[in-house]
Amino acid sequence: MELVTSEVGLKMESGTRRNPTLICAPLMADTVDQMLSLMQKAKLSGADLVEIRLDWLKSFNPRTDITNLIKHCPLPTLFTYRPIWEGGQYAGDEKSRLDALRLAMELGADHIDVELKAIDEFNDSVHGYRPAKCKVIVSSHNYHNTPSSEDLGNLVARIQASGADIIKIATTALDITDVSRVFQITVHSQVRGVPIIAMVMGERGLMSRVLCPKFGGYLTFGTLDSGKVSAPGQPTIEDLLNLYSFRQLGPDTKIYGVIGKPVSHSKSPKLYNEAFKSVGFNGVYIHLLVDDVGKFFETYSSTDFAGFSCTIPHKEDALKCCDEVDPVAKSIGAVNCLVRRPTDGKLFGCNTDHIGAITAIEDGLRGSRHFSESPLAGKLFVVIGAGGAGKALAYGAKEKGARVVIANRTYERAREIADTVGGQALSLSDLDTFHPENGMILANTTSIGMQPKVNETPISKEALKHYALVFDAVYTPKITRLLGEALETGAKIVTGIEMFIGQAYEQYERFTGLPAPKELFRKIAA
């Protein structure tokens, strides 16, 4: 996706608002009194306006209730009365619904939302009368997919032709690359001077909601509370303002993110965004739920998409997408960090996993003692998992003089890596009975034990007594079942947080060209 944006340097002005894009809080409540209470909460949260969802009210007296809602609202209003056939709650007759929206317009609403399917009937009912204060949003919601660029263009043209003051389209992301078409439509509409609200619903569409200021969207929706959403994939207002620094985003903001599946558990956005903010770096870092990493990089080829962390299960496939690969990453066969060169858009890949994890494991073994060589030298180092992180740790341990064993569900896969690093292969099912010696090191690089499956563990507690130190790359939760049981058997433990912080230092420096704020990273990740 090649989008032209102005390059205005990489410093953000802290405290000032860099874009006009609004944050709208959808209000969904059973009663008018509850709605009035939520309005105050929206004002305190930092919202610019509220969407009053009339279809959620259990009882509704149009004139009295709308007057009350407008009179007591501390923010500009957007009235929506969404029917079931467009994803809402209203199941009554169409005339009453449109009459209520017309009434809201006449009584002083700042915006009303009318569906494209109903706009002709609505226009007929108002006989050309529209108060200057009220903007009519004409909307179309697609809960099945995101149409082609051509179909989206035709849809926007139909909405504009209907007399819309503001265009609204909401589609559904089946793949994260669907968002690129909606970004293009947003930019095109902005060029033509047509205000547009363009969202892609679902977790794969998150960046459409966060990045709309960059591409010129009129507003985004942010929820007051996590989980209480009016459409799938909405972030909270708190996250928009504090995690993503929404007010600071502009056309020149660089995009970074963590690529994975799953990915919502990752703490990386909090880590990098706080670090960016601390030095005024004009970038934003987001969760990127990616199914096909090759398709992702092919679609988002602009230098605006400047750098990526890569996690399970894409580390090996991401290497194949790179134009240039660090020799260490090439030896490992996996990358966890990709940077797009600003001069020509080429992707450079490297691997910082082994640095973070091996250093943390060495520190755990060392304690306060001094070693002239690595404390891993000569140790039997058992790696669980044969993915990108497993390869990285096997490579790193071998470099430090350890004897490496790879244990994996699929023995053949373990054998491949073992052959590469000159180690031994095991099937995961044989790990419980594998204890040729005591004082071994165990490193889990799989997602076994990660939230929500916190009761899972890759090895029995009984087998852990043969290990001097146990490391788990999983860091949600911080103390996994594996680490908890390792502690009970007397082993030292190293958490995934240590690896997470260690590998992040170099990534941050590659992304920004600035020294990593190590103390800040430790404070955030603690």
Side-chain angles (χ1 to χ4, degrees):
M1 176 189 181
E2 198 63 50
L3 292 168
V4 178
T5 60
S6 58
E7 295 293 335
V8 207
L10 287 177
K11 276 298 249 190
M12 282 199 296
E13 309 157 49
S14 60
T16 58
R17 183 167 182 157
R18 296 188 70 234
N19 66 71
T21 303
L22 305 173
I23 296 176
C24 180
L27 308 184
M28 298 155 293
D30 295 345
T31 68
V32 169
D33 284 346
Q34 288 170 351
M35 288 265 193
L36 294 172
S37 175
L38 289 175
M39 287 173 179
Q40 300 303 322
K41 189 173 179 180
K43 168 92 172 162
L44 290 172
S45 74
D48 298 298
L49 72 160
V50 293
E51 180 186 36
I52 298 165
R53 287 293 299 264
L54 297 174
D55 50 303
W56 279 74
L57 292 171
K58 295 293 186 241
S59 67
F60 178 44
N61 181 320
R63 183 167 291 276
T64 303
D65 292 344
I66 291 172
T67 300
N68 199 4
L69 288 163
I70 292 174
K71 183 179 177 184
H72 294 103
C73 189
L75 291 168
T77 54
L78 189 174
F79 280 84
T80 299
Y81 204 2
R82 192 77 72 217
I84 284 175
W85 49 261
E86 189 90 357
Q89 308 283 316
Y90 179 75
D93 71 281
E94 192 66 354
K95 183 179 184 306
S96 300
R97 188 179 78 84
L98 296 180
D99 283 348
L101 286 171
R102 188 177 70 250
L103 188 60
M105 182 172 73
E106 292 167 358
L107 290 172
D110 298 286
H111 307 78
I112 60 167
D113 181 321
V114 185
E115 299 75 20
L116 177 61
K117 293 174 187 172
I119 190 61
D120 288 345
E121 189 177 342
F122 179 80
N123 286 338
D124 290 344
S125 73
V126 299
H127 307 295
Y129 170 71
R130 283 192 190 177
K133 178 189 177 184
C134 186
K135 302 292 184 192
V136 176
I137 298 169
V138 179
S139 61
S140 172
H141 298 77
N142 182 330
Y143 293 94
H144 305 291
N145 57 30
T146 298
S148 67
S149 295
E150 184 181 356
D151 287 346
L152 283 173
N154 292 336
L155 175 63
V156 166
R158 280 172 55 213
I159 294 174
Q160 188 176 3
S162 74
D165 295 309
I166 300 166
I167 294 163
K168 179 186 177 188
I169 58 168
T171 68
T172 298
L174 302 182
D175 190 274
I176 196 169
T177 56
D178 293 342
V179 180
S180 68
R181 301 196 291 283
V182 172
F183 282 155
Q184 286 165 341
I185 285 291
T186 306
V187 170
H188 186 60
S189 297
Q190 187 191 24
V191 168
R192 291 186 296 129
V194 182
I196 187 168
I197 303 163
M199 302 291 150
V200 188
M201 296 180 283
E203 190 183 346
R204 289 168 177 81
L206 173 67
M207 70 173 168
S208 72
R209 299 178 179 280
V210 174
L211 297 177
C212 59
K214 177 175 175 62
F215 298 111
Y218 182 75
L219 66 75
T220 196
F221 293 90
T223 65
L224 293 173
D225 298 298
S226 181
K228 185 74 172 175
V229 300
S230 62
Q234 282 175 356
T236 62
I237 295 172
E238 183 182 1
D239 278 353
L240 285 171
L241 291 174
N242 299 324
L243 176 59
Y244 300 117
S245 298
F246 187 85
R247 304 284 193 219
Q248 301 300 309
L249 306 183
D252 54 322
T253 299
K254 296 297 183 185
I255 303 160
Y256 301 84
V258 54
I259 293 169
K261 185 183 179 182
V263 78
S264 61
H265 66 281
S266 174
K267 297 179 189 290
S268 293
K270 184 166 178 56
L271 193 77
Y272 290 102
N273 285 325
E274 282 294 323
F276 289 169
K277 203 186 303 183
S278 73
V279 294
F281 181 78
N282 189 6
V284 62
Y285 189 106
I286 50 186
H287 291 105
L288 300 166
L289 178 57
V290 172
D291 298 282
D292 181 331
V293 74
K295 187 177 175 186
F296 173 85
F297 285 120
E298 188 181 329
T299 303
Y300 298 105
S301 57
S302 160
T303 54
D304 277 8
F305 292 84
F308 309 91
S309 309
C310 192
T311 187
I312 296 170
H314 296 312
K315 297 184 183 191
E316 291 163 282
D317 286 339
L319 183 142
K320 299 168 193 168
C321 302
C322 295
D323 299 294
E324 186 183 336
V325 179
D326 175 84
V328 172
K330 195 172 283 184
S331 300
I332 293 168
V335 296
N336 74 321
C337 175
L338 300 99
V339 181
R340 198 180 292 286
R341 233 173 7 219
T343 50
D344 57 11
K346 300 288 188 187
L347 272 179
F348 169 80
C350 60
N351 195 309
T352 65
D353 275 338
H354 68 294
I355 299 167
I358 295 298
T359 302
I361 291 168
E362 285 181 319
D363 289 346
L365 286 171
R366 218 176 252 122
S368 57
R369 293 175 297 157
H370 177 73
F371 287 75
S372 57
E373 60 180 349
S374 169
L376 284 173
K379 292 278 190 184
L380 197 60
F381 192 103
V382 179
V383 178
I384 302 175
K391 278 184 175 179
L393 262 76
Y395 176 91
K398 186 72 176 177
E399 263 200 329
K400 298 290 186 175
R403 295 167 290 137
V404 176
V405 176
I406 311 289
N408 194 54
R409 282 200 177 112
T410 311
Y411 174 80
E412 289 73 20
R413 187 91 171 100
R415 180 75 267 157
E416 280 176 34
I417 298 177
D419 287 345
T420 303
V421 299
Q424 184 180 346
L426 276 182
S427 172
L428 188 57
S429 58
D430 294 329
L431 194 56
D432 284 349
T433 56
F434 177 78
H435 41 81
E437 60 190 68
N438 289 324
M440 299 184 291
I441 313 299
L442 183 70
N444 174 44
T445 68
T446 72
S447 59
I448 297 170
M450 186 167 77
Q451 284 177 349
K453 298 179 180 178
V454 295
N455 292 321
E456 294 183 0
T457 183
I459 186 173
S460 71
K461 182 178 177 181
E462 175 64 21
L464 290 173
K465 67 184 181 186
H466 302 286
Y467 292 89
L469 181 144
V470 176
F471 162 78
D472 198 339
V474 171
Y475 61 80
T476 51
K478 183 176 179 180
I479 302 297
T480 57
R481 179 181 166 188
L482 171 64
L483 293 182
E485 291 181 348
L487 276 174
E488 290 168 15
T489 63
K492 292 180 178 178
I493 65 165
V494 174
T495 70
I497 291 288
E498 295 300 317
M499 173 181 174
F500 173 63
I501 295 170
Q503 58 84 31
Y505 293 154
E506 187 180 340
Q507 290 201 40
Y508 176 85
E509 292 177 358
R510 287 187 179 276
F511 290 162
T512 65
L514 302 169
K518 295 187 178 181
E519 288 305 311
L520 179 64
F521 274 15
R522 290 202 162 274
K523 183 179 169 187
I524 294 166

